Amino acid sequence: MERIVVVTEAPLEAALAEGVARGEPGSGLLTASVVADGAVGAWLDFYGVVRAAEPDGTLLAGLDYEAYVPMAVHQLHLLLDRLEPRYPLSGVAVVHRIGFVPVGEPSLLVRILSPHREEALAACAQLIDELKREVPIWKHPR
Amino acid sequence: MTTVPGSSIDVQVLLFAQVRLAAGAGRVALALEAAAGPPTVADALGALVAVCPAVAPHLPSCRVALGVDYVTPEQPLGPGDELALIPPVQGG
């Protein structure tokens, strides 16, 4: 399974490209070369986007994301280690933006490629659930 | 990690989010008594509250990491260890 994990202040697509440029594995997840062998039947991109209002109705300019970056990256890799034996996936990219993210912009990208849609959808749900329990990232309304 | 009886060891505790704001610092240095054997994470939390009482109300909701892994309160500590208090996370 190709994988790439990035936690960065850069916008998501740029961060994904930078991760690949730094030589991290997972370049196929950016270039789509991972689908070229014909085994991938599902390409799932999930974007978590900053909403304009808090649950109580308070309007926001955006969210300031804070992370314990080395631990966040490590915990995301552990999470992918748990997903890998459970779902037959071809590739997973997780990119989380930190710092200020304005309303309407994405803070999280999860890209999953797999032979069939069922495992991509199930793995995406589990990944995001576990991310919200285990990965040391916090948000401050602004 | 071995410790010399009668000595103390220095550890660091990283603070994040609401705990960092309550403490007014992102890092606290602690000297932990090691005379009776290696101090534990629980000992470090006790020492943290003694020097920084503002973190006490947050402790019940926090987990603790040693380096980049979650650990239990019984985890023994060695010189130079870096702990992190992890309040409920909110990524996504």
Side-chain angles (χ1 to χ4, degrees):
Chain A
M1 180 180 90
E2 287 216 51
R3 67 160 76 173
I4 191 164
V5 169
V6 181
V7 176
T8 175
E9 294 197 10
L12 298 180
E13 296 291 350
L16 186 54
E18 282 169 15
V20 171
R22 280 199 306 271
E24 293 180 22
S27 58
L29 295 167
L30 183 68
T31 64
S33 64
V34 74
V35 304
D37 65 1
V40 170
W43 174 309
L44 177 63
D45 275 355
F46 170 87
Y47 286 92
V49 180
V50 176
R51 282 184 295 265
E54 294 263 70
D56 67 2
T58 307
L59 292 177
L60 304 177
L63 293 172
D64 271 311
Y65 282 92
E66 173 181 354
Y68 181 14
V69 174
M71 183 175 173
V73 169
H74 175 70
Q75 291 294 324
L76 283 167
H77 276 291
L78 292 181
L79 205 164
L80 297 187
D81 290 345
R82 292 193 290 273
L83 279 187
E84 197 161 7
R86 190 162 170 196
Y87 302 101
L89 306 178
S90 306
V92 178
V94 184
V95 186
H96 204 302
R97 196 169 160 186
I98 55 174
F100 182 67
V101 182
V103 166
E105 291 193 18
S107 54
L108 171 67
L109 165 62
V110 176
R111 174 171 294 171
I112 299 185
L113 284 69
S114 63
H116 302 282
R117 70 180 183 285
E118 291 86 354
E119 55 264 26
L121 291 165
C124 186
Q126 181 178 334
L127 193 161
I128 295 168
D129 286 348
E130 291 198 22
L131 182 153
K132 287 176 175 289
R133 281 199 302 268
E134 301 293 330
V135 179
I137 298 175
W138 302 272
K139 50 194 171 195
H140 305 276
R142 198 203 285 185
Chain B
M1 197 87 67
T2 58
T3 54
V4 179
S7 68
S8 67
I9 64 166
D10 295 326
V11 302
Q12 303 274 327
V13 184
L14 304 181
L15 307 177
F16 295 95
Q18 60 266 41
V19 187
R20 174 176 58 77
L21 296 173
R27 177 186 292 268
V28 177
L30 300 172
L32 303 177
E33 182 55 54
T40 63
V41 165
D43 296 326
L45 296 182
L48 176 67
V49 169
V51 299
C52 195
V55 306
H58 297 279
L59 282 186
S61 64
C62 286
R63 284 189 284 174
V64 181
L66 174 58
V68 293
D69 287 296
Y70 290 109
V71 291
T72 64
E74 298 76 30
Q75 172 73 36
L77 298 175
D81 275 350
E82 190 173 74
L83 296 168
L85 267 189
I86 308 293
V89 302
Q90 303 167 308

